[in-house]
Amino acid sequence: MYVAVKGGEAAIANAHALLADRRRGDRSVPALRLDQIVEQLALGVDRVMSEGSLYDRELAALAIVQARGDMIEAIFLVRAYRTTLPRFGYTKAIDTGAMLVERRVSATYKDLPGGQLLGPTFDYTHRLLDPELAAGRDVAEPQQRASEAEAMPRVSAILAREGLIEPDGDMPQDHVPGDITREPLEFPMARDIRLQALSRGDEGFLLALGYSTQRGYARNHPFVGEVRIGEVELELDVAELPFAVPLGSVRVTECQMVNQFKGSAKAPPQFTRGYGLVFGQSERKAMAMALCDRALRASEFGEDVVAAAQDEEFVISHSDNVQATGFVEHLKLPHYVDFQAELDLVRRMRAEHDARENAGKAEEKREAAE
């Protein structure tokens, strides 16, 4: 039970002023510009866009500045702003097979049609602090070479030609994809709803769950079929036009995990899929999402649900960092009435305990005297 706090308006105003002062910091240091954050802290911007469910780099950068670098607070700001925006319609499903690929790696095949592209990655860095960055050294332009466009079929398509992986499945004609931003969550979920929730789930939470599946808590052995990062085009169907209207492009990261499946009475032994897709460049999040997606399909394949990562209600109900933050931080609100009630209860229980203890000691003394 909460109670109103009186006389706090001036204190709150002063707290806001102090927050603004601390956010600005030393006035002799130039203030951050949004273009600096967009260009030089791009991965942080991508996370805020992805978990905030809004693709706008400048707004994400603004939220990071306003939140003093607190990513979850920035995500909260972006989601709150998102609720004020009008909605004109739904774009067509993006075709990641037609992606303008910047990075593409596979752990299953060395020689892929279209090749592997390392792209911008930390994978092969030594994780040593570079003091020259602090000195503002000039960075050389990357080498570029002309290349012919080459098809990059997915690894899953290669396996599918041999019938070694579960079918991708066609969307039923009458199926309307759900929208978790407009409809309350209901369990059990359709997979498209679940993937939406995972896509904007907290990266750290999903990473921990994905890690748990590798440590024996879901008996799951995955291979990274493919991770690809690049630009995909968005198109919108307009009733008055016989063709889809291109709206622009967005950068996304897609991951397809390939998992072994020993088969069942209904399906032969084959590989199964785990899928991840997020805004921007965030392959760790996309991989964790794909691991969780596959773990949550345990019931679909007749597997025993024995681990937290396989429990749909547990995973989805606790993956949203805005909800989690709100519930944990609400404990800072005044709980005076609740605490006083518990305080009185503990005092009564303590008094009863002391009375029993004193009575026991008195009985022991009488017995000793006799």
Side-chain angles (χ1 to χ4, degrees):
M1 179 177 182
Y2 311 124
V3 296
V5 180
K6 297 181 180 179
E9 186 174 349
I12 291 172
N14 289 334
H16 288 171
L18 182 59
L19 173 63
D21 175 74
R22 296 293 169 82
R23 179 169 53 223
R24 176 59 184 87
D26 188 344
R27 304 308 196 270
S28 65
V29 177
L32 282 172
R33 302 194 313 271
L34 297 188
D35 59 339
Q36 290 177 304
I37 297 172
V38 169
E39 295 297 328
Q40 298 176 39
L41 297 178
L43 299 186
V45 169
D46 287 347
R47 180 182 176 186
V48 172
M49 291 195 306
S50 180
E51 296 177 26
S53 300
L54 182 64
Y55 194 92
D56 189 309
R57 295 190 181 280
E58 286 196 356
L59 286 178
L62 174 60
I64 291 172
V65 172
Q66 186 173 332
R68 299 179 64 196
D70 183 333
M71 289 300 180
I72 294 180
E73 180 68 19
I75 291 162
F76 198 164
L77 290 169
V78 168
R79 286 204 198 172
Y81 180 79
R82 184 185 188 277
T83 64
T84 68
L85 300 176
R87 181 170 305 202
F88 301 107
Y90 292 92
T91 61
K92 298 180 65 175
I94 60 174
D95 180 10
T96 55
M99 178 187 294
L100 181 60
V101 175
E102 182 180 29
R103 171 167 165 78
R104 182 210 195 195
V105 292
S106 172
T108 53
Y109 290 102
K110 177 183 177 182
D111 299 313
L112 282 172
Q116 301 206 37
L117 299 174
L118 291 185
T121 177
F122 293 110
D123 287 352
Y124 306 100
T125 61
H126 298 297
R127 268 70 174 196
L128 300 175
L129 286 175
D130 185 355
E132 292 186 11
L133 284 176
R137 71 171 183 202
D138 292 333
V139 178
E141 292 289 336
Q143 295 183 6
Q144 298 185 10
R145 62 180 175 83
S147 62
E148 296 182 2
E150 187 175 352
M152 291 188 175
R154 296 186 181 89
V155 167
S156 56
I158 298 173
L159 292 170
R161 285 201 291 267
E162 298 183 58
L164 296 178
I165 194 168
E166 62 168 321
D168 202 3
D170 295 323
M171 187 70 71
Q173 291 286 342
D174 57 347
H175 178 75
V176 178
D179 185 346
I180 64 172
T181 67
R182 292 196 164 193
E183 301 161 4
L185 298 179
E186 294 183 359
F187 298 98
M189 291 178 163
R191 191 179 176 205
D192 60 316
I193 299 290
R194 194 166 63 219
L195 287 171
Q196 287 181 47
L198 291 174
S199 184
R200 73 176 197 164
D202 182 74
E203 179 179 327
F205 180 76
L206 297 184
L207 179 64
L209 287 175
Y211 179 43
S212 75
T213 68
Q214 306 307 292
R215 300 190 67 249
Y217 290 92
R219 294 198 292 271
N220 208 345
H221 190 283
F223 299 91
V224 175
E226 185 175 357
V227 171
R228 57 171 64 190
I229 302 172
E231 301 279 336
V232 292
E233 192 171 70
L234 295 179
E235 295 182 332
L236 178 69
D237 283 326
V238 179
E240 293 80 7
L241 298 174
F243 54 86
V245 177
L247 301 178
S249 62
V250 294
R251 197 164 187 249
V252 297
T253 302
E254 180 186 52
C255 174
Q256 292 211 36
M257 288 286 180
V258 177
N259 301 70
Q260 187 179 356
F261 175 56
K262 63 183 179 181
S264 67
K266 297 181 179 179
Q270 60 186 341
F271 290 108
T272 55
R273 307 166 188 256
Y275 187 73
L277 181 74
V278 295
F279 281 151
Q281 178 176 347
S282 184
E283 56 196 83
R284 185 193 302 120
K285 168 72 176 291
M287 291 171 67
M289 177 181 169
L291 290 171
C292 290
D293 173 51
R294 176 56 183 86
L296 290 171
R297 300 180 68 198
S299 298
E300 180 182 338
F301 295 111
E303 299 168 346
D304 294 332
V305 177
V306 295
Q310 297 171 306
D311 186 328
E312 179 182 75
E313 188 165 351
F314 174 81
V315 173
I316 302 303
S317 296
H318 299 95
S319 64
D320 191 296
N321 52 31
V322 172
Q323 290 183 8
T325 297
F327 203 88
V328 170
E329 293 194 355
H330 100 282
L331 297 174
K332 296 183 291 186
L333 294 173
H335 286 70
Y336 307 139
V337 175
D338 285 351
F339 181 72
Q340 286 300 320
E342 297 227 357
L343 186 61
D344 290 342
L345 176 60
V346 171
R347 283 172 174 163
R348 288 198 305 271
M349 293 169 63
R350 183 63 177 268
E352 292 171 2
H353 173 271
D354 292 345
R356 287 195 302 270
E357 192 173 66
N358 292 335
K361 289 179 180 180
E363 183 65 25
E364 290 176 0
K365 287 182 180 181
R366 283 196 298 271
E367 291 177 353
E370 294 174 356

